[in-house]
Amino acid sequence: MNRLQIKICGVTNVEDARGCAELGADMIGLNFYPKSARYIRPQQAREIIEAMLRGVRAVGVFVDPTASEVRRIAKSVGLEYVQLHGDVPPETCRELASEFRVIRAFSTDGQFKPEDVRSFPECDVIVDAHHAELRGGTGLTCDWLAARATLPFARFLILSGGLNAQNVGDAIATVGPHAVDVCTGVETAPGVKDHRAIEEFIAAARAAEHLIVDPSR
């Protein structure tokens, strides 16, 4: 079984980024959506990436971007991973996938169909909760059964939406994802990470890894 990956999203400063890495996170998310409370400027992102411990991957989070916007920011700050929310068509994802590791976001709203992810074969998939206005970082729990049903169609599935140290074990057991993503569940305020909560979240996720039993995952 491949090791479960852990992503801490909405990181806004060097101290929290290094804390995530030291506590065992595999990925951190840097938000480039100006309407987000966790938005950071490209220069801030570059400083975070330059201070990161080796082996931890930084993921740039974008909402309704153009390919040129993603490319410009990602190359200016040194990103290899980009996460795309909103109405991003397969053609844009395919274009960017030739240069970056692309994570396409889906929300479990009433229109979501697990088989829809087949239109994005070049992408990893993150499944999150639906919110009418926000794109991630809502604290809402996504539909775990819908996420589970997405597994056969996704090359790599990240489970997000309302996770914390108390429920991540059940989420892992129910969905069997390749990775879990947390934001509000390890914060004291938007963009301010609680290092104790991060430690507890990672410990709970690692303790539940053995519950993933689906060999097709």
Side-chain angles (χ1 to χ4, degrees), residues 117-152:
V117 308
R118 290 186 298 190
S119 298
F120 301 86
E122 302 89 359
C123 302
D124 298 344
V125 169
I126 185 167
V127 181
D128 201 351
H130 172 70
H131 190 284
E133 299 176 359
L134 302 178
R135 299 293 182 268
T138 66
L140 301 175
T141 303
C142 85
D143 183 336
W144 291 351
L145 295 181
R148 173 73 185 185
T150 307
L151 266 177

Side-chain angles (χ1 to χ4, degrees), residues 80-84 92-94 96-98 100-104 122-125 155:
E80 296 180 1
Y81 286 66
V82 297
Q83 180 174 312
L84 309 178
T92 298
C93 292
R94 189 176 307 117
L96 290 170
S98 66
F100 309 99
R101 181 90 179 214
V102 177
I103 303 169
R104 178 61 159 81
E122 302 89 359
C123 302
D124 298 344
V125 169
R155 69 178 188 184

Side-chain angles (χ1 to χ4, degrees), residues 106-114 116 128-131 143 146:
F106 292 84
S107 62
T108 53
D109 59 15
Q111 306 301 314
F112 176 71
K113 297 178 181 178
D116 289 346
D128 201 351
H130 172 70
H131 190 284
D143 183 336

